[in-house]
Every structure is written in structure tokens, then in C-alpha cells.
Amino acid sequence: MPLEIISVPTVRESSGLAMSSRNNYLNATQKEQAVILYKMLQKTASSIEQEVNPDFSALEQNAQANIANAGLQPDYFSICQARTLKPAQPGDRNLIILTAAYLDKTRLIDNIAVKLI
């Protein structure tokens, strides 16, 4: 099936939380909790950019632990090749970090692109 995927930047609330109709299910306190997803995306992206040989698996596990410690139930936190969405491998330069987690019954998703020089 011929497909063309056109990506656009994620629109975010001032807190960094990705704007979504699902956010309407969250109260103010939960919205503050949910910001951990974006914070972990940013922190992981920064680690990847700063480390010579980042350990993708360790970064994923650390992010999931932090998300769980913030009171969310992680579904996944994955560092992938941006083009194929296969797990990232050493030497990959064009990455995307994908995450999903539940906060009560609301499933939140987010992602961030990482392009290494």
C-alpha cells in the first residue's frame, strides 16, 4: 500500500504536555503528573546527544522507572530508528523516542525526534 507520512510538530501546553483531547480526562493535578512523559523524553534525548555510545536499553529502563515513580503506569518507552521504527542500534543518527503511559484510565502518548550530527 503506497503511503506518505507527513509529520508535523507536536503542539504542547505551556507545561510541555502534548495537547490532546485525552487531556480533558485529566484534572489539574494529573496534568502536572503527566508532564513527566515530556520531561523523560527531553532527558533521554539529551543523554543520547551527550553520550558517545549511549546504552539505549538502559535509558529506556531508566525512563520507565521514572515514569512509574511519578505515579503513571508505563506502557512503553522506546528509542527507535526514525525511518523504520525498529529499535535503535549503535551508530543510528536519526532517532525517535516514543512513549505511552496510563494515568488512571487515560492513555497518554508522546514522542520526540533526535537527530545526531
Side-chain angles (χ1 to χ4, degrees), residues 13-82:
E13 295 184 10
S14 60
S15 65
L17 181 64
M19 285 191 177
S20 168
S21 60
R22 297 174 206 191
N23 295 355
N24 293 326
Y25 298 117
L26 305 176
N27 63 38
T29 302
Q30 290 172 320
K31 282 187 177 186
E32 289 177 18
Q33 266 183 289
V35 172
I36 189 69
L37 291 178
Y38 186 56
K39 288 181 179 179
M40 291 315 306
L41 289 170
Q42 289 181 305
K43 182 178 179 183
T44 303
S46 179
S47 294
I48 291 169
E49 292 167 345
Q50 293 175 11
E51 295 178 23
V52 175
N53 292 311
D55 182 339
F56 297 130
S57 179
L59 290 170
E60 291 169 344
Q61 290 173 12
N62 180 60
Q64 287 197 63
N66 280 285
I67 291 167
N69 288 338
L72 285 75
Q73 181 182 352
D75 188 2
Y76 61 83
F77 192 98
S78 302
I79 304 168
C80 300
Q81 299 169 3

